[in-house]
């Protein structure tokens, strides 16, 4: 699972194969809590020699 908020790079949250990935992580930069736009995508890590397979990026916007 990869998450990006405006002004920051992608944050990667790794899980184990055939298990769910918990999404209750905290990023310690307080400014990330007050952003309007967030992007989420799911990727399959294929190792260091091959590029990752990622889903279409989903955009979320705070009202």
């Amino acid at each position: 699972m990869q998450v990006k908020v405006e002004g920051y790079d992608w944050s990667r949250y790794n899980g184990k194969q055939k298990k769910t990935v918990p999404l209750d992580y905290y990023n310690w930069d307080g400014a990330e809590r007050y952003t309007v736009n967030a992007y989420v995508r799911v990727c399959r890590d294929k190792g260091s020699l091959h590029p990752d397979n990622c889903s279409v990026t989903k955009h979320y916007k705070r009202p």
Side-chain angles (χ1 to χ4, degrees):
M1 175 71 72
Q2 293 183 349
V3 179
K4 178 178 174 49
V5 294
E6 59 182 322
Y8 293 90
D9 290 333
W10 287 98
S11 297
R12 177 177 290 218
Y13 302 105
N14 293 326
K16 293 186 179 182
Q17 187 173 5
K18 297 183 181 179
K19 303 283 183 182
T20 57
V21 177
L23 296 178
D24 58 347
Y25 292 104
Y26 290 103
N27 291 333
W28 294 106
D29 188 356
E32 290 183 14
R33 295 176 40 203
Y34 301 106
T35 59
V36 176
N37 295 305
Y39 302 90
V40 176
R41 66 182 176 194
V42 178
C43 295
R44 181 173 61 176
D45 186 10
K46 295 176 68 181
S48 61
L49 298 177
H50 302 286
D52 294 345
N53 291 346
C54 293
S55 67
V56 176
T57 302
K58 181 74 176 168
H59 175 242
Y60 293 97
K61 186 173 183 177
R62 184 179 290 186

